Amino acid sequence: MKKLYIETLGCQMNKSDSERIAGILSHFGYCETDIEKEADLLIVNTCSIRQLSADKAYSKLGVWGKRKKTRPSLKIAICGCVAQQDKEKVRQRAPYVDLVFGTHNIYQLPELIKRIENDEKICAITATPVICNQNDFKILRKDSVNAWIPIIEGCNNFCTYCVVPFTRGRERSRNPEEIITEAKNIIKEGFKEITLLGQNVDSYGKDLHNPDITLANLLRDINKIEGEFRIRFVTSYPSDITDDLIDAVEECDKVCKYFHIPMQSGNSRILSEMNRRYTKSEYYEIVSKIRKRFPDVAITSDFIAGFPGETEEEFLDTLKAIDELELDYSNTAAYSPREFTKAGKMTDKFLPEDIKYERLERLNEKNREACLKSNEKFIGKILTVLVESKTQKDGKTILNSRADNNKIVHFEDDTKNTGDFAKVKITRAQTWCLYGVPIE
Ligand code: SAH
Ligand code: SF4
Ligand code: F3S
């Protein structure tokens, strides 16, 4: 067996792709290793959402290129969003790379791998995806409790700051039968959680032109699979969350009462500049509708600080939104200009770096405050959790688990194991996690 090492940067979609890449290559004599230095084939699966993420990809290649000088038989590949975006440019920067393959070309690997083994140098980036039945290949999942299923790839939204439509292409939904087969296999293999993935999960099915194929119906179908497990879905686009989806979340006992709905900014002018298809008050309405239905729901978001032309007052609307909406957690970032995007061309409106980072710092502070406040609401409540791992501390077994609403919960218990469900009464809250005691 030859050894394969994959370095995965970026979002869950990339993590899921890496599991599929390792699975495909396992059919061709490669087994995965965690030790970079042992590998015969090195792959970096890249992210280009911000400049910093793209820089990481090239610095990894730089290190590997040096290693190849002393071991010429070593093969180096780059894939993911930077590869899709930079195409042949990758090789100008890193000529020693053997294979560049795009986000649409994963299922071409059986052919590509044979060619690089014959010392060919290849750049395989197509604008249209290579489609196949993903269930024909193994998937080497990293986690033993949660399994990811990508249900829709790509994005049609073209938010002005975002590179994803250029790196992942237009929306393409997998057919529901294939997804349900994958879900059934996952449950048979003993996984306890399924996370349905998409840059816009709630757009699922729109491109398949059958009104019955929706995220809501997919949740209903997966919910019917027998077994003790739970279902999550990320990421939701605010104005695409339908009443039918909210109904489905309510009806389906296995679906977690958790929504990740990036707001990006708390100011309607900035939202419009971002080409987000909702206003501040429309976002407020969606959150209030969900909170009314599910009392213990957690709603998390993403925000960008320092979008081109954002004024101090407009930024303050974002801080206010986090407070008023009682958001449970937010991912935050300083605006980073990206190639091809509309906002990337608004150079005359770019804010100085120090202002962007000072706003990001205040945004992070607000987020910490909001998280603690949100966590404190759960003291005294009983949450159903799924154990993700175990640690030993001072002779005690501490279980690290996640509640239905995605909150991290630690508790002491000798009787439970990774993959078990438990009921825990919350006794203490910190900014990033909860502590509790198991109840029978
Ligand atoms: N599809 C999801 C998010 C995908 S990207 C959505 O619509 O929200 C993940 C997050 O990265 C985004 O929510 C956004 O907050 C952040 N992001 C995207 N482009 C960015 C940029 N150019 N600079 C800073 N943050 C960015
Ligand atoms: Fe990017 Fe917007 Fe698409 Fe999300 S919805 S992936 S932020 S373009
Ligand atoms: Fe990054 Fe591509 Fe995901 S740009 S965030 S890895 S879709």
Side-chain angles (χ1 to χ4, degrees):
M1 287 292 262
K2 280 168 282 190
K3 293 210 166 128
L4 159 72
Y5 175 85
I6 310 182
E7 174 88 21
T8 308
L9 309 169
C11 65
Q12 290 155 325
M13 193 58 95
N14 261 19
K15 290 184 181 138
S16 167
D17 282 349
S18 287
E19 296 178 341
R20 280 150 218 268
I21 291 168
I24 296 170
L25 291 175
S26 74
H27 294 262
F28 298 89
Y30 286 87
C31 71
E32 215 180 349
T33 172
D34 292 332
I35 308 162
E36 226 182 283
K37 289 210 164 100
E38 280 188 348
D40 304 289
L41 169 62
L42 294 163
I43 301 180
V44 58
N45 190 1
T46 60
C47 172
S48 136
I49 201 81
R50 287 181 283 277
Q51 191 54 43
L52 202 69
S53 343
D55 292 343
K56 269 193 212 159
Y58 283 104
S59 81
K60 198 80 222 175
L61 284 184
V63 173
W64 291 352
K66 283 196 192 117
R67 194 169 302 155
K68 194 174 162 103
K69 279 194 185 141
T70 54
R71 232 186 100 195
S73 65
L74 183 66
K75 300 286 180 205
I76 301 176
I78 170 171
C79 63
C81 292
V82 174
Q84 185 76 31
Q85 185 184 333
D86 285 357
K87 304 184 179 68
E88 285 292 348
K89 265 198 284 177
V90 171
R91 204 135 45 214
Q92 287 158 23
R93 286 186 67 171
Y96 44 82
V97 166
D98 297 279
L99 172 63
V100 186
F101 64 103
T103 54
H104 299 340
N105 304 85
I106 290 174
Y107 288 93
Q108 223 178 316
L109 271 176
E111 169 218 331
L112 298 173
I113 204 70
K114 285 186 199 141
R115 286 170 55 198
I116 64 162
E117 283 175 351
N118 285 325
D119 294 329
E120 230 184 290
K121 296 231 176 217
I122 309 167
C123 179
I125 312 275
T126 52
T128 45
V130 175
I131 304 265
C132 72
N133 184 342
Q134 299 192 14
N135 295 327
D136 291 345
F137 295 96
K138 273 187 223 159
I139 300 165
L140 297 182
R141 299 186 192 274
K142 283 265 180 222
D143 196 290
S144 61
V145 177
N146 173 66
W148 286 309
I149 307 186
I151 61 165
I152 174 168
E153 259 248 60
C155 183
N156 294 355
N157 283 322
F158 289 94
C159 302
T160 55
Y161 51 83
C162 184
V163 78
V164 170
F166 304 94
T167 64
R168 292 273 171 182
R170 294 300 75 72
E171 286 169 2
R172 303 167 312 274
S173 303
R174 286 174 74 192
N175 85 48
E177 291 78 30
E178 196 186 313
I179 296 169
I180 291 160
T181 305
E182 189 173 328
K184 284 183 179 159
N185 291 341
I186 285 168
I187 301 311
K188 241 187 267 158
E189 286 166 33
F191 288 91
K192 292 299 165 69
E193 184 175 87
I194 288 176
T195 304
L196 305 178
L197 287 184
Q199 272 86 19
N200 273 305
V201 263
D202 23 33
S203 285
Y204 175 71
K206 282 183 191 164
D207 56 317
L208 298 177
H209 309 295
N210 173 345
D212 292 334
I213 304 179
T214 60
L215 176 61
N217 286 340
L218 186 65
L219 290 175
R220 291 181 177 110
D221 286 341
I222 297 177
N223 194 67
K224 282 184 208 140
I225 300 173
E226 265 177 54
E228 194 188 26
F229 67 97
R230 64 188 188 185
I231 311 164
R232 298 185 182 282
F233 57 93
V234 281
T235 296
S236 297
Y237 190 94
S239 45
D240 289 340
I241 298 177
T242 60
D243 288 342
D244 189 37
L245 176 65
I246 299 174
D247 289 344
V249 172
E250 187 167 37
E251 284 159 33
C252 297
D253 59 318
K254 290 171 180 145
V255 175
C256 292
K257 308 321 176 219
Y258 167 68
F259 289 80
H260 181 58
I261 325 170
M263 186 188 196
Q264 311 298 0
S265 163
N267 177 274
S268 294
R269 188 190 76 85
I270 294 294
L271 288 173
S272 152
E273 288 283 298
M274 288 175 162
N275 192 31
R276 299 287 286 184
R277 290 178 278 105
Y278 52 90
T279 59
K280 172 193 147 185
S281 46
E282 281 160 354
Y283 185 93
Y284 274 50
E285 277 162 32
I286 294 154
V287 166
S288 113
K289 202 190 298 183
I290 293 172
R291 289 214 189 275
K292 269 188 205 133
R293 279 290 189 97
F294 313 107
D296 286 341
V297 73
I299 300 178
T300 59
S301 180
D302 295 353
F303 287 100
I304 297 176
F307 182 81
E310 182 191 65
T311 65
E312 172 65 17
E313 287 67 39
E314 287 165 339
F315 171 69
L316 291 177
D317 285 343
T318 292
L319 299 186
K320 208 158 103 193
I322 296 178
D323 271 337
E324 290 176 346
L325 295 163
E326 296 180 30
L327 292 177
D328 296 276
Y329 171 80
S330 301
N331 298 309
T332 61
Y335 170 72
S336 169
R338 308 310 296 131
E339 200 185 351
F340 310 122
T341 62
K342 258 195 178 163
K345 297 184 183 79
M346 302 174 181
T347 45
D348 54 326
K349 294 190 196 156
F350 283 0
L351 300 182
E353 293 293 296
D354 57 337
I355 293 193
K356 281 197 299 192
Y357 282 93
E358 189 270 333
R359 284 185 193 169
L360 176 62
E361 198 30 64
R362 278 189 282 159
L363 184 56
N364 287 339
E365 184 49 40
K366 177 58 70 192
N367 182 35
R368 283 191 288 269
E369 224 178 84
C371 277
L372 183 60
K373 228 190 268 169
S374 150
N375 282 348
E376 284 170 344
K377 280 193 303 201
F378 290 94
I379 295 176
K381 288 201 171 170
I382 294 164
L383 299 180
T384 303
V385 303
L386 172 58
V387 179
E388 294 182 337
S389 66
K390 259 182 175 186
T391 40
Q392 293 295 329
K393 204 178 163 196
D394 308 326
K396 293 175 187 158
T397 306
I398 307 294
L399 299 179
N400 311 308
S401 70
R402 213 174 269 270
D404 185 282
N405 62 14
N406 215 33
K407 298 266 178 198
I408 293 170
V409 180
H410 302 291
F411 62 105
E412 198 190 315
D413 191 337
D414 291 323
T415 64
K416 296 273 181 194
N417 274 309
T418 300
D420 285 346
F421 285 95
K423 287 213 181 298
V424 177
K425 183 166 185 183
I426 303 305
T427 51
R428 193 155 65 87
Q430 283 186 348
T431 305
W432 307 126
C433 64
L434 297 168
Y435 294 88
V437 289
I439 56 164
E440 286 321 311

